[in-house]
């Protein structure tokens, strides 16, 4: 089978125009996937968080523009919850797996893994991308029988 080089070049050029045509829209698009950044690693980590663990987390939550909406630090008490049980937003249930005690992460959470179309008025608007700085203080694991 023989392909005409001119036709191939036209097809490739058209694809490139279509692919690059949305650059401005891409910049304006909201975050679509969970982004996880490790801010502080832990040496000699022997226990990593997994579904079913009781986690004790310190955190600061901000909107994309930097407006802080919540933090556990001023309260002096970490938030405790069972990972993977739906007690926190989906972005946390997914983004905190595999953490070590003492580790710090930055989570950028798209709206659909946060508070979605309803938001959490008055501080979190609808369709908000959330940015969390989180620190895993302690893991409590129930031993299997």
């Amino acid at each position: 089978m023989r392909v005409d080089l001119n036709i191939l070049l036209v097809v490739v050029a058209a694809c490139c125009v279509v692919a690059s045509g949305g650059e401005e829209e891409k910049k304006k698009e909201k975050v679509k996937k969970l982004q996880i950044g490790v801010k502080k690693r832990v040496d000699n980590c022997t226990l990593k968080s997994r579904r079913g663990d009781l986690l004790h987390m310190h955190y600061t939550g901000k909107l994309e523009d930097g407006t802080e909406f919540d933090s556990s630090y001023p309260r002096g008490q970490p938030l405790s919850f069972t990972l993977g049980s739906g007690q926190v937003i989906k972005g946390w249930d997914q983004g905190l797996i595999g953490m070590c005690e003492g580790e710090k992460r930055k989570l950028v959470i798209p709206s659909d893994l946060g508070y979605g179309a309803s938001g959490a008025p008055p501080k979190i608007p609808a369709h908000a991308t959330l940015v969390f700085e989180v620190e895993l203080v302690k893991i409590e694991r129930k031993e299997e029988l």
Side-chain angles (χ1 to χ4, degrees):
M1 181 172 144
R2 197 159 165 221
V3 177
D4 184 343
L5 189 56
N6 288 332
I7 292 174
L8 182 61
L9 288 174
V10 169
V11 170
V12 169
C15 290
C16 291
V17 169
V18 170
S20 66
E23 288 303 317
E24 283 305 309
E25 283 73 35
K26 285 180 189 172
K27 289 178 187 171
K28 293 177 191 172
E29 271 183 21
K30 293 281 188 190
V31 172
K32 295 286 188 201
K33 292 194 298 190
L34 175 64
Q35 297 173 17
I36 303 169
V38 177
K39 306 293 272 182
K40 179 186 171 199
R41 293 193 189 283
V42 174
D43 294 330
N44 303 319
C45 174
T46 57
L47 183 66
K48 292 188 176 193
S49 61
R50 66 183 187 204
R51 293 186 200 295
D53 287 343
L54 180 64
L55 302 187
H56 303 274
M57 304 290 307
H58 266 307
Y59 67 92
T60 298
K62 296 180 180 181
L63 301 176
E64 277 183 301
D65 68 3
T67 303
E68 185 176 309
F69 58 82
D70 193 16
S71 180
S72 63
Y73 290 101
R75 294 189 289 272
Q77 180 127 7
L79 175 68
S80 300
F81 62 93
T82 301
L83 186 61
S85 67
Q87 294 176 351
V88 292
I89 59 175
K90 289 179 184 175
W92 273 40
D93 272 342
Q94 294 175 17
L96 303 180
I97 292 173
M99 279 188 85
C100 301
E101 290 181 353
E103 184 178 330
K104 293 182 181 183
R105 288 183 180 178
K106 179 179 180 179
L107 304 177
V108 181
I109 301 175
S111 171
D112 63 319
L113 296 178
Y115 295 98
S118 57
K123 293 187 175 184
I124 301 173
H127 305 289
T129 296
L130 308 175
V131 180
F132 283 94
E133 300 272 347
V134 296
E135 175 183 6
L136 179 50
V137 177
K138 185 177 181 188
I139 298 172
E140 288 185 55
R141 178 162 296 159
K142 296 179 181 84
E143 294 304 318
E144 285 97 335
L145 297 174

